[in-house]
């Protein structure tokens, strides 16, 4: 019986030997390249829209004819750089007139002050009436008020003259001049 078992085992082994053994696959075709060492700059491309963090719409505070444009579109400007000049001649004339009125009002106030001081001395000596003294004092106060009003008008005319120069409120790249 042992011989039968050995014969059966040999038959099984010989049956297994009859199968063809698979051969290893051939290497894939292609060329061989040696690695190259170099610096690589990584970058990405994005589709989007850029917008400035600060934007300012510049508007004139006075009306008039545009005299000069002091920048080129798309260039960099610094805060305070001149952008536009509006024709200052009408505003200069208005300032000169208002300043002249102010100087005239100051002179009238000074004259009224002198008369009021003289009237005060004469009133103490009973040379002029109390009514005349009151008139001189009130004329002085009126002249002071007129001088104050003329100063306000002159200050406003000077401010309008300054507004003829339009300066950049922030620094950055300037866009189109929509005038």
């Amino acid at each position: 019986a042992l011989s039968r078992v050995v014969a059966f085992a040999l038959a099984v082994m010989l049956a297994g030997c009859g199968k063809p053994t698979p051969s290893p696959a051939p290497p894939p075709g292609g060329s061989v390249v040696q690695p190259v060492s170099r610096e690589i700059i990584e970058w990405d491309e994005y589709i989007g829209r850029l917008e400035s963090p600060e934007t300012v719409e510049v508007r004139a505070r006075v009306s008039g004819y545009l005299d000069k444009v002091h920048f080129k579109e798309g260039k960099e400007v610094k805060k305070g750089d001149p952008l536009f000049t509006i024709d200052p001649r009408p505003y200069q004339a208005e300032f000169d007139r208002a300043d002249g009125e102010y100087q005239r009002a100051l002179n009238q106030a000074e004259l009224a002050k002198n008369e009021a001081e003289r009237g005060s001395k004469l009133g103490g000596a009973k040379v002029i009436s109390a009514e005349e003294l009151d008139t001189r004092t009130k004329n002085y106060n009126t002249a002071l008020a007129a001088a104050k009003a003329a100063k306000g008008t002159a200050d406003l005319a000077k401010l309008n003259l300054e507004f003829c120069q339009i300066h950049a409120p922030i620094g950055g790249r300037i866009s189109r001049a929509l005038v």
Side-chain angles (χ1 to χ4, degrees):
L2 183 59
S3 62
R4 279 186 184 190
V5 172
V6 171
F8 180 72
L10 277 174
V12 170
M13 284 199 319
L14 286 175
C17 287
K19 287 186 182 177
T21 59
S23 63
S31 61
V32 176
V33 178
Q34 294 297 320
V36 177
S37 174
R38 65 179 170 157
E39 183 179 330
I40 296 176
I41 299 173
E42 291 186 31
W43 62 280
D44 290 324
E45 188 172 313
Y46 298 100
I47 297 174
R49 191 175 110 182
L50 299 177
E51 189 172 316
S52 174
E54 287 185 287
T55 58
V56 175
E57 188 174 304
V58 178
R59 293 186 183 264
R61 293 183 180 184
V62 293
S63 63
Y65 291 104
L66 191 60
D67 195 28
K68 293 179 188 168
V69 177
H70 300 281
F71 67 90
K72 292 196 179 215
E73 295 175 351
K75 296 291 183 179
E76 292 283 329
V77 294
K78 295 176 187 160
K79 182 177 180 178
D81 283 355
L83 299 178
F84 300 100
T85 300
I86 296 173
D87 185 9
R89 293 176 298 177
Y91 296 101
Q92 182 66 51
E94 179 61 27
F95 171 70
D96 292 343
R97 186 195 64 73
D99 190 48
E101 287 292 322
Y102 174 58
Q103 297 302 322
R104 185 176 63 80
L106 281 179
N107 287 333
Q108 285 181 339
E110 188 177 333
L111 178 63
K113 178 182 176 186
N114 292 342
E115 287 181 7
E117 287 173 353
R118 274 190 233 112
S120 178
K121 290 177 187 175
L122 293 174
K126 303 286 186 200
V127 176
I128 62 170
S129 68
E131 180 182 351
E132 179 67 23
L133 179 59
D134 287 344
T135 301
R136 290 183 181 194
T137 304
K138 296 297 180 189
N139 284 344
Y140 173 58
N141 291 336
T142 302
L144 283 179
K148 188 175 182 180
K151 182 177 184 330
T153 303
D155 288 346
L156 180 62
K158 183 178 180 183
L159 189 61
N160 284 339
L161 180 60
E162 290 172 2
F163 286 156
C164 288
Q165 298 292 324
I166 301 171
H167 298 276
I170 62 173
R173 186 173 306 278
I174 193 159
S175 65
R176 299 183 327 248
L178 302 174
V179 181

